[in-house]
Amino acid sequence: MFAGTMLIGALVAAPITEVKARDWPHVLLEDLAAADAAMRGSHPGAVDHLNPGFGSQLHGALALARSRAGKVDSFAGYWWAMKGYAASFNDGHVSLNALAGAPELPTRWPGFLTGFDGDAQVVMTVEGGPGHPPLGARMLSCDGMDAKTLAARRVGDFSGRWNLQASRIHGGGEVLLEQGNPFVQALQACVFAVDGRETSYALQWAPLDTVQLKKRLADTRRSFRPANGWHTMPGGGYWITTSSFNADPTEPNFNELTRLIEQLAAEAEGLQRSPLVVLDVRGNSGGASQWSLALARLIWGRTAVDALPDSSWVEWRTSEANIAQLRSFLLKLETAPDASPELLRMLQTVTSGMAQARADGVALWREPSQPTAEAAPAGGQRAPAHTGRVVIVADAACGSACLDALDLWKRLGAIQVGVETSADSLYMDVRPERLPGGMTRISVPMKVFRGRARGSNEPHAPDHRYAGDMRDTKALEAWLIAL
């Protein structure tokens, strides 16, 4: 199985200035029409008899975005209208991404940003100088609007899934940013709890460049993507980091994880005898499940892993665009020397099965179950080869195939530490749809999961919550060993 970000890479807007005037309402309406057509033509929800409300969701998302066209007179207005459209689906797999060369959003900040600590919004990064609340000050309201409502309207309505703690951790730093969004009010003053007193601060807006924006937002999220790799720990433990499950053979991550699996295969006996194995997935937003399956087989043994019962299955939307996307990825894998034979077989089965189903007029094609290497024993599941502790370190970035990894590892006995993960719907495996305006593309899910034990948009909660900075690996390791 693969999910989420395996099929498309990261998309970053180039920091250039908008130089030519455009009919922005027309661009918005044209791109909305193309996005709506892609969703109706390729999203499994549009033909999913188990989700009869999806048609209304499509209609509502389009109607809301179209209603905003009158306020769109720049790229920023276009961007936030399109962001609101994608957010209406409340699905992390339906996302809007800027293409290289898209105009840069004008960004200003008041000299400090807040982030979420539980339900509270507190100052997490601040520029030196007077007139700013101190680090740790709790935001109560701005311009008469309470902090909770403020965050939901300024960020949640344009990012979606605001009910998830992970979404608030990821997006909370944007509450006090001004980025040209014409659908929210500019802020004048905010009230903070400081040393037991309520103190009002007038907001003094100043430009914030792209480099500083990235750094300041990282401070509010307290998360980062460590390098893939592994090392031994005191007492014979193993710390294994997989910060991405991207399986694109043209990307560096593919070669890094291939080497990692090869190195750990030579350590399989030590892994299985180790008193502690740490699986570090900080920063991992998904990719392909082949990596987490391979790790599980090395740690718990192939026999125990392949004997786990699995009553889930998937159905693929048989659109021409979806089939073409999968065929393109299959061609990449066929030329990669280290491609997983299992993933290759799966893609070959899926592409041919979808093509035949489309020819037969079948809109959703059920992927056949893949036989495992070991049949389940008559007396129940086989005992795992590893009997020591296995601990998963996860943060709010964990989504898609990272969540699938936790599904599997926790069934095998692993415990989770860190913070609550993100979550995904039952629609996944996205393909990119480039929109005609030439500045953005929207991701369109291609398959629907059936029979999954974890519900739609249900996160994984940690068994032990880490209250410190998730970027401090040394402190995190010391805390974990002491558990």
Side-chain angles (χ1 to χ4, degrees):
M1 168 194 334
F2 52 92
T5 57
M6 187 189 79
L7 299 178
I8 58 175
L11 303 166
V12 181
I16 63 175
T17 303
E18 190 177 327
V19 293
K20 63 179 181 178
R22 302 185 67 172
D23 183 348
W24 289 107
H26 175 77
V27 174
L28 171 65
L29 294 175
E30 187 177 48
D31 280 7
L32 283 172
D36 181 68
M39 296 289 281
R40 293 179 185 277
S42 289
H43 195 298
V47 293
D48 185 1
H49 69 281
L50 296 180
N51 187 6
F54 190 79
S56 296
Q57 197 173 12
L58 279 169
H59 177 77
L62 183 62
L64 174 62
R66 281 176 169 170
S67 73
R68 289 171 163 166
K71 286 190 173 183
V72 174
D73 60 4
S74 65
F75 172 75
Y78 159 88
W79 172 260
W80 291 112
M82 288 298 301
K83 285 283 285 182
Y85 169 80
S88 297
F89 293 94
N90 217 37
D91 184 347
H93 282 132
V94 178
S95 62
L96 184 76
N97 297 280
L99 296 171
E104 182 184 32
L105 290 175
T107 302
R108 297 185 301 151
W109 74 318
F112 61 94
L113 296 177
T114 58
F116 274 85
D117 184 3
D119 291 330
Q121 296 172 63
V122 301
V123 176
M124 289 188 172
T125 185
V126 62
E127 190 175 50
H132 301 146
L135 288 173
R138 181 164 61 92
M139 185 165 70
L140 302 177
S141 65
C142 292
D143 294 348
M145 184 179 294
D146 68 273
K148 181 179 180 181
T149 303
L150 185 79
R153 291 187 182 177
R154 290 179 64 84
V155 183
D157 287 352
F158 300 91
S159 61
R161 302 182 302 158
W162 201 242
N163 60 303
L164 296 175
Q165 183 183 85
S167 296
R168 298 193 297 274
I169 289 174
H170 182 79
E174 300 174 33
V175 173
L176 294 181
L177 288 178
E178 291 288 350
Q179 294 187 292
N181 187 342
F183 312 111
V184 299
Q185 293 294 319
L187 299 177
Q188 304 297 321
C190 296
V191 178
F192 287 82
V194 180
D195 297 328
R197 298 191 306 271
E198 294 187 9
T199 304
S200 180
Y201 291 86
L203 302 182
Q204 304 169 36
W205 296 99
L208 187 64
D209 65 40
T210 303
V211 174
Q212 278 297 309
L213 173 63
K214 183 177 181 180
K215 177 181 181 299
R216 297 293 183 173
L217 287 177
D219 288 339
T220 68
R221 294 164 183 163
R222 296 185 177 179
S223 178
F224 81 126
R225 177 169 286 173
N228 293 319
W230 66 279
H231 65 267
T232 56
M233 301 169 63
Y238 288 79
W239 187 291
I240 302 169
T241 299
T242 50
S243 57
S244 171
F245 286 144
N246 190 338
D248 188 333
T250 65
E251 297 292 330
N253 194 77
F254 179 89
N255 293 326
E256 292 168 7
L257 290 190
T258 297
R259 288 194 300 271
L260 176 68
I261 296 299
E262 289 173 350
Q263 292 168 3
L264 291 174
E267 297 276 334
E269 186 175 346
L271 273 173
Q272 293 176 9
R273 291 182 178 178
S274 172
L276 173 64
V277 174
V278 177
L279 295 166
D280 179 3
V281 291
R282 286 174 296 166
N284 190 321
S285 58
S289 296
Q290 70 181 78
W291 308 112
S292 57
L293 178 62
L295 284 170
R297 286 170 171 166
L298 289 174
I299 296 166
W300 286 280
R302 176 181 285 268
T303 299
V305 173
D306 291 354
L308 284 175
D310 184 6
S311 58
S312 66
W313 74 96
V314 299
E315 291 179 313
W316 294 83
R317 178 74 189 272
T318 59
S319 73
E320 289 185 6
N322 288 350
I323 294 169
Q325 178 69 20
L326 292 171
R327 281 178 172 159
S328 175
F329 191 74
L330 176 59
L331 286 174
K332 284 185 180 182
L333 283 180
E334 286 175 338
T335 59
D338 297 317
S340 162
E342 287 176 291
L343 186 56
L344 275 169
R345 285 195 299 270
M346 186 277 286
L347 276 170
Q348 290 162 350
T349 298
V350 168
T351 52
S352 61
M354 287 174 69
Q356 184 60 56
R358 179 170 177 79
D360 295 338
V362 177
L364 279 180
W365 172 77
R366 177 168 174 165
E367 180 183 340
S369 299
Q370 298 294 319
T372 55
E374 299 285 342
Q381 298 180 24
R382 296 185 187 270
H386 187 272
T387 56
R389 280 200 308 156
V390 179
V391 179
I392 306 163
V393 177
D395 61 13
C398 183
S400 197
C402 179
L403 297 169
D404 296 337
L406 268 64
D407 289 342
L408 173 63
W409 296 340
K410 290 172 87 167
R411 286 184 70 193
L412 290 161
I415 65 168
Q416 176 190 344
V417 304
V419 299
E420 188 172 281
T421 66
S422 187
D424 57 8
S425 75
L426 300 179
Y427 299 120
M428 52 191 61
D429 280 357
V430 301
R431 69 169 181 82
E433 177 76 18
R434 185 184 177 107
L435 299 178
M439 298 169 294
T440 58
R441 55 184 177 182
I442 195 165
S443 58
V444 181
M446 299 185 291
K447 78 178 185 186
V448 57
F449 217 137
R450 307 292 197 196
R452 189 177 74 183
R454 177 169 46 84
S456 179
N457 279 333
E458 180 182 341
H460 278 288
D463 298 287
H464 301 279
R465 186 178 185 277
Y466 184 64
D469 191 331
M470 291 288 288
R471 297 171 293 180
D472 190 339
T473 302
K474 188 171 292 186
L476 182 60
E477 183 172 334
W479 171 82
L480 194 153
I481 292 173
L483 275 179

